[in-house]
Amino acid sequence: MPDYLDDLRLAHVLADAADAATMDRFKALDLKVETKPDMTPVSEADKAAEELIRGHLGRARPRDAILGEEYGVEGTGPRRWVIDPIDGTKNYVRGVPVWATLISLMEAGEGGFQPVVGVVSAPALGRRWWAAQGHGAFSGRSLTKASRLQVSRVSKLSDASFAYSSLSGWEEQGRLDGLLDLTREVWRTRAYGDFWPYMMVAEGAVDMCAEPELSLWDMAATAIVVTEAGGTFTGLDARPGPHSGNAAASNGLLHDELLGYLNQRY
């Protein structure tokens, strides 16, 4: 089985380059922001970071394909790098430090492409998380200064901390009643949003989280970090991995109940 450690090291190099570019423009008074056709914002920093990553990959992995949020798919083949240059652009453009560059390598396998490497780098928080298939998940300043991640062992909803995104997305999908029922059963709820709750699930600080509408680049890197930390990452349809257009992540012990409430089976 491939060990993917060279790919993981490369992903850290890519994240270092992206961090330098994004931090250089964070809170810049002259930051240029546009609105995409789906009415979501994109900043010049999003585009610059993705261009930078694509340039590095073109030199280091010329045979690999790339899928990025801002510039789409380039290349074909069994290996595909999936990039979200800034996950949390709305936070970024308002000066909120909760945003990250998400970098994942996916390989073709049974059931389609599956993430085998993931790096989530949040430089404004001074945090980075990463994982490679079969090697566990870690957080730290660098590959050599890291702590292994492990999900929690909380097994009762009444003891569980649950993180969600916004209420509007759940309402639009007709799932708001189930979400609210779940919030009444758990110990604590917080709406951290974007990449962060998945990383807290991996750390064991939060026990479960979910979002109703996502793209592949929002999930590929976070999915492998959660699963390599011992957790479970699926769509709301229970399909494993980042393929369902939405996500539910947990320590595994609470996953069936999480999906049950969000699909209004309880």
Side-chain angles (χ1 to χ4, degrees), residues 174-195:
R175 297 179 186 267
L176 184 58
D177 288 345
L179 176 79
L180 294 176
D181 286 343
L182 177 60
T183 66
R184 297 181 184 106
E185 296 298 322
V186 299
W187 167 64
R188 192 168 193 251
T189 62
R190 285 293 184 271
Y192 298 107
D194 300 308
F195 69 95

Side-chain angles (χ1 to χ4, degrees), residues 11 14-15 18 53 81-84 101-105 117-120 221:
L14 300 175
I53 292 169
W81 293 85
V82 179
I83 311 299
D84 189 344
T101 295
L102 311 183
I103 300 169
S104 178
L105 173 63
V117 167
V119 171
V120 176

Side-chain angles (χ1 to χ4, degrees), residues 13-250:
V13 171
L14 300 175
D16 290 342
D19 286 355
T22 53
M23 285 300 291
D24 183 59
R25 300 299 292 153
F26 184 49
K27 296 187 178 181
L29 296 178
D30 60 343
L31 180 71
K32 294 183 176 64
V33 182
E34 303 169 11
T35 301
K36 293 191 284 190
D38 65 358
M39 302 307 294
T40 59
V42 58
S43 73
E44 62 182 88
D46 291 81
K47 294 180 176 180
E50 185 168 323
E51 289 170 353
L52 195 63
I53 292 169
R54 284 176 178 269
H56 276 281
L57 285 172
R59 293 185 293 273
R61 297 289 190 275
R63 295 182 179 180
D64 292 353
I66 305 171
L67 169 64
E69 179 177 11
E70 306 307 334
Y71 295 106
V73 179
E74 178 183 345
T76 59
R79 288 166 47 99
R80 176 184 293 175
W81 293 85
V82 179
I83 311 299
D84 189 344
I86 299 179
D87 182 57
T89 299
K90 292 177 183 177
N91 284 344
Y92 184 89
V93 302
R94 289 296 301 271
V96 177
V98 183
W99 50 271
T101 295
L102 311 183
I103 300 169
S104 178
L105 173 63
M106 301 186 75
E107 277 203 344
E110 287 187 26
F113 282 88
Q114 301 296 336
V116 294
V117 167
V119 171
V120 176
S121 189
L125 294 176
R127 300 292 308 277
R128 184 178 290 185
W129 303 261
W130 62 89
Q133 187 179 80
H135 291 277
F138 296 85
S139 178
R141 294 286 183 178
S142 67
L143 280 164
T144 55
K145 296 180 180 178
S147 300
R148 188 155 189 162
L149 303 180
Q150 181 66 47
V151 296
S152 75
R153 301 300 300 169
V154 172
S155 59
K156 294 180 180 179
L157 284 182
S158 58
D159 296 330
S161 178
F162 169 57
Y164 58 97
S165 50
S166 65
L167 295 179
S168 59
W170 297 101
E171 186 172 34
E172 288 166 8
Q173 291 199 3
R175 297 179 186 267
L176 184 58
D177 288 345
L179 176 79
L180 294 176
D181 286 343
L182 177 60
T183 66
R184 297 181 184 106
E185 296 298 322
V186 299
W187 167 64
R188 192 168 193 251
T189 62
R190 285 293 184 271
Y192 298 107
D194 300 308
F195 69 95
W196 205 9
Y198 301 96
M199 299 302 95
M200 287 191 277
V201 168
E203 292 175 339
V206 167
D207 306 303
M208 53 187 183
C209 65
E211 288 184 273
E213 187 174 5
L214 294 168
S215 298
L216 180 61
W217 47 76
D218 298 314
M219 299 183 280
T222 59
I224 189 166
V225 174
V226 168
T227 55
E228 285 292 321
T232 300
F233 189 106
T234 72
L236 298 177
D237 58 3
R239 182 183 177 189
H243 303 290
S244 301
N246 46 48
S250 76

